[in-house]
């Protein structure tokens, strides 16, 4: 391959680059084919390029035919990091391959940037004084640099002001409850400059006013429920357990019912011991018999 000379080619998506491939002299005249491959080695297993290939030019040197083919390649974003090469052959089963040229395709993002975990047009909620991480992702090559803006103002950007000019900077904030003017505080470092949403410099800006200014907004949220919640109190029954006072008078062959009662929260589970058997439940119903 005679052109381009460099081992890699940088091109913007949609732009065209010219590649030229020339054979040495031979008979019969060689046929040149162009390919896109993923590896460093040219191979017919790649994708053959058949469009934008001009008719070959042939020159005769000492009775042998030299063939030159020209490819005008228009790159797309999907061609990034692929390689271009050519293969020449004039005898069946025998071929000569060129080196490869790496494509470095620069392309714009195909879609708008996306804020992860946030639906476009919805409200992003966060807790006051908490630290939130917002991730913006975008495609493109070279990688694009997302720019965050609040109310059309770049986040973290500086403000350029001429010396002795009169300027005001207004801080805006939204919340629930909505902040009032007295909720705003302007600071330069640890020094409080003014209260209110608007910061100004009486007498104009001076050289010593250069620096970083911070607007702090503090509001007090009124509790939504003035009544404290009622907490349930849990307690166990008497440590001695439920007591059945006796003696019991029973009639033979007559059914009887016994009730066990205990006070606790949550309610207790009851069980009766009848000989070697255990009966679950607060009521015990049985019939007294003689043996």
């Amino acid at each position: 391959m005679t052109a381009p000379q460099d081992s890699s080619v940088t091109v913007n998506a949609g732009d065209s680059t010219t590649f030229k491939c020339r054979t040495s002299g031979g008979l019969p005249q060689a046929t040149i084919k162009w390919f896109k491959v993923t590896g460093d080695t040219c191979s017919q297993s790649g994708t053959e390029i058949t469009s934008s290939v001009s008719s070959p030019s042939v020159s005769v040197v000492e009775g042998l035919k030299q063939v030159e083919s020209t490819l005008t390649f228009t790159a797309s974003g999907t061609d990034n990091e692929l390689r271009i090469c050519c293969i020449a052959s004039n005898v069946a089963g025998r071929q000569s391959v060129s080196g490869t040229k790496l494509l470095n395709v620069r392309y714009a993002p195909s879609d708008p940037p996306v804020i992860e975990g946030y639906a476009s047009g919805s409200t992003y909620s966060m807790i006051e004084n908490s630290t939130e991480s917002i991730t913006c992702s975008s495609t493109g090559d070279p990688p694009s640099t997302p720019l965050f803006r609040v109310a059309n103002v770049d986040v973290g950007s500086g403000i350029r002001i001429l010396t002795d000019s009169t300027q005001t900077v207004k801080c805006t904030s939204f919340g629930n409850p909505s902040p009032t003017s007295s909720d705003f505080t302007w600071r330069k470092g640890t020094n409080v400059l003014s209260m209110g949403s608007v910061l100004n410099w009486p007498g104009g800006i001076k050289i010593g006013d250069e620096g970083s200014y911070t607007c702090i907004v503090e509001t007090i949220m009124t509790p939504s429920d003035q009544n404290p919640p009622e907490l349930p109190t849990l307690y166990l029954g008497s440590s001695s357990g439920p007591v059945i006072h006796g003696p019991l008078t029973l009639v033979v062959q007559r059914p009887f019912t016994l009730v066990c009662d205990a006070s606790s929260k949550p309610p207790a589970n009851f069980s009766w011991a009848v000989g070697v058997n255990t009966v679950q439940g607060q009521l015990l119903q049985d019939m007294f018999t003689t043996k």
Side-chain angles (χ1 to χ4, degrees):
M1 191 183 302
T2 58
Q5 297 293 327
D6 295 334
S7 60
S8 63
V9 179
T10 299
V11 60
N12 295 329
D15 292 347
S16 299
T17 302
T18 299
F19 295 84
K20 291 187 177 183
C21 183
R22 185 173 63 238
T23 69
S24 57
L27 285 174
Q29 175 181 319
T31 299
I32 297 177
K33 293 183 179 181
W34 292 93
F35 293 88
K36 286 190 298 186
V37 296
T38 56
D40 296 338
T41 304
C42 189
S43 170
Q44 294 192 71
S45 61
T47 302
E48 184 177 359
I49 304 172
T50 57
S51 61
S52 301
V53 178
S54 63
S55 300
S57 61
V58 181
S59 59
V60 179
V61 178
E62 297 180 352
L64 300 178
K65 293 184 178 181
Q66 292 182 343
V67 181
E68 183 175 76
S69 176
T70 300
L71 167 66
T72 304
F73 182 75
T74 302
S76 66
T78 57
D79 295 321
N80 187 42
E81 296 187 349
L82 295 181
R83 293 175 179 269
I84 300 292
C85 65
C86 58
I87 297 178
S89 176
N90 64 347
V91 177
R94 299 182 62 181
Q95 59 188 24
S96 297
V97 299
S98 70
T100 60
K101 303 292 183 180
L102 177 65
L103 292 174
N104 179 18
V105 183
R106 293 186 282 191
Y107 56 94
S110 57
D111 297 302
V114 176
I115 299 178
E116 297 179 6
Y118 170 78
S120 179
S122 64
T123 301
Y124 185 87
S125 301
M126 61 182 294
I127 300 174
E128 180 184 14
N129 293 328
S130 66
T131 301
E132 299 285 340
S133 178
I134 301 177
T135 302
C136 181
S137 61
S138 178
T139 59
D141 187 82
S144 56
T145 302
L147 179 64
F148 286 93
R149 287 185 172 180
V150 176
N152 293 324
V153 177
D154 297 349
V155 175
S157 62
I159 302 175
R160 297 179 179 270
I161 301 175
L162 295 177
T163 302
D164 296 327
S165 64
T166 301
Q167 299 286 341
T168 60
V169 178
K170 184 175 182 180
C171 178
T172 59
S173 179
F174 304 93
N176 188 12
S178 179
T180 63
S181 179
S182 61
D183 295 326
F184 292 81
T185 304
W186 280 97
R187 291 178 181 268
K188 182 182 181 184
T190 58
N191 298 324
V192 176
L193 299 180
S194 66
M195 306 294 292
S197 61
V198 177
L199 174 65
N200 54 49
W201 292 264
I205 299 294
K206 305 301 180 183
I207 293 179
D209 293 325
E210 181 180 356
S212 178
Y213 294 80
T214 303
C215 175
I216 300 174
V217 186
E218 295 180 331
T219 59
I220 298 177
M221 183 179 69
T222 303
S224 58
D225 189 354
Q226 300 294 336
N227 299 319
E230 181 181 353
L231 300 178
T233 302
L234 306 181
Y235 57 91
L236 298 174
S238 172
S239 60
S240 61
V243 177
I244 300 177
H245 300 281
L248 298 176
T249 301
L250 303 175
V251 179
V252 177
Q253 299 297 332
R254 291 283 298 275
F256 65 89
T257 300
L258 298 180
V259 179
C260 185
D261 192 16
S263 176
S264 66
K265 190 172 184 179
N269 295 322
F270 297 89
S271 63
W272 295 84
V274 183
V276 296
N277 299 320
T278 300
V279 179
Q280 303 293 331
Q282 189 175 6
L283 299 181
L284 173 64
Q285 295 178 327
D286 203 347
M287 180 181 293
F288 182 72
T289 61
T290 59
K291 296 184 180 180

